[in-house]
Amino acid sequence: MSDVLKILQKDELSKNDLVQLLATQGEAMQDLFHYAQNVKAQHVGNKVYFRGLIELSNRCKKNCYYCGIRSGNPNIHRYFVDEQEVLDAVKYAYEKGFGSIVLQSGERNDKDFTETIESLLKKIMKLTNNEIGITLSLGEQDEETYLRWREAGAKRYLLRIEASNRELYAKLHPQDHDFDKRLNCLKLLRKLDYQVGTGVMIGLPFQTLGDLADDLLFFKELDIDMCGMGPYIEHEETPLYQFRNLLLSKEERFLLSLKMVALLRILMKNVNIAATTAMQTLDSQGREKALRVGSNVIMPNLTPLKYRDDYLLYEDKPSQSETADETVRLLEEHIRAAGCEVAYFQHGDSQHYFSRKNKNVQ
Ligand code: SAH
Ligand code: SF4
């Protein structure tokens, strides 16, 4: 039996085991991928769930050192998608049978923003006969806001911890960005009965394999329902760009991301894991490869084309001029090639969410 299989057969994987698995190359890495593929087949099957992604606005009050739409970048045109355009995109997703949408934007906490979102959620629910599943990715908010959005129809929330190592987190953010506040937001979301998703960037400057192993253990400890993680990709107009000489090659960052997806599938068998756009940015078959080793969710971009070039979190974001119809057609081909199948007209809720709730009742 190979060394990799010996490690994988343990009941519990330690940090040291995870570091060894993250360091695998060549055949050993393929052993890891095959193992994850089997775990995926057994526990979540080959269905892929679509979430139509609408990048609502690039206005952001935060200034994360890695992100292209940070408030300190003066070179971008700031937008908020018109309400009717959002509703048109939702209608498209609904009629195509996507089952769910994701509303994402820069972070704002002002009343105008939180009320606009609340009203939008109500309109979306009405437009879709309360049928569409809504995931929000709108940053850190207070408990009241999360509650109002939950009551208005949102049932899932994505808030990446970005890096679970506090010291690394501090290197990636200005001093007024608070790790504990972000962690507390994840706890609030859980308390308010959202399906909770988090994630990290992979291949960041200063990040070690030990950090990534700790990220995986952090997801487990928090008992998350969903995960969206992908490679860090540099952006010239950000402070972190100065450390680009510390980065792994794009291929290495991609493979490391794939190993993270595979390991999370092995560690948390029934969570939803997204095959992220950033993975596709570094490898044109990136999402397909992620589906093979563990992912089961894809977020086709439904943002109206005229706004897309203003939502550049990182360089070389793909499909910037592809219409929704083209995106769906290409994705379907890639998904089939990966031996998977799109599950239309289904929410594709996190099975983990239901199993942990059942456990709590017993
Ligand atoms: N403002 C919200 C949601 C939008 S940003 C928030 O921050 O939670 C969504 C995600 O984009 C972030 O969580 C971050 O992980 C990712 N991101 C930002 N800049 C990136 C970069 N340069 N490379 C890869 N991912 C990046
Ligand atoms: Fe704003 Fe999110 Fe980008 Fe940070 S990562 S600057 S919060 S959009």
Side-chain angles (χ1 to χ4, degrees), residues 160 229-233 254 275-283 287 314 317-318:
R160 289 184 175 180
M229 57 186 168
Y232 161 70
I233 304 169
F254 174 73
T276 54
T277 314
M279 295 192 75
Q280 192 201 349
T281 307
L282 295 194
D283 182 312
R287 288 192 290 195
Y314 45 78
K317 212 168 145 219

Side-chain angles (χ1 to χ4, degrees), residues 60 62-64 66-67 69-71 105-107 162 311 313:
C60 186
K62 295 187 95 182
N63 216 358
C64 308
Y66 41 84
C67 176
I69 65 170
R70 61 201 297 273
S71 57
S105 88
E107 184 174 312
E162 315 294 4
Y311 199 83
L313 306 175

Side-chain angles (χ1 to χ4, degrees), residues 60 62 64 66-69 104-107 137-140 157-162 182 199-201 204 228 230-235 238 278 311 313-315:
C60 186
K62 295 187 95 182
C64 308
Y66 41 84
C67 176
I69 65 170
Q104 189 179 78
S105 88
E107 184 174 312
S137 175
L138 306 172
E140 295 163 30
Y157 207 102
L158 278 175
L159 184 75
R160 289 184 175 180
I161 195 70
E162 315 294 4
R182 204 158 178 92
V200 293
M201 284 173 287
L204 287 157
Y232 161 70
I233 304 169
E234 56 273 40
H235 187 299
T238 61
Y311 199 83
L313 306 175
Y314 45 78
E315 289 171 358

Side-chain angles (χ1 to χ4, degrees), residues 117-127 151-152:
I117 299 294
E118 187 180 357
S119 135
L120 195 55
L121 288 169
K122 290 182 179 156
K123 287 182 182 156
I124 292 173
M125 291 316 275
K126 191 157 173 242
L127 178 72
E151 287 176 343

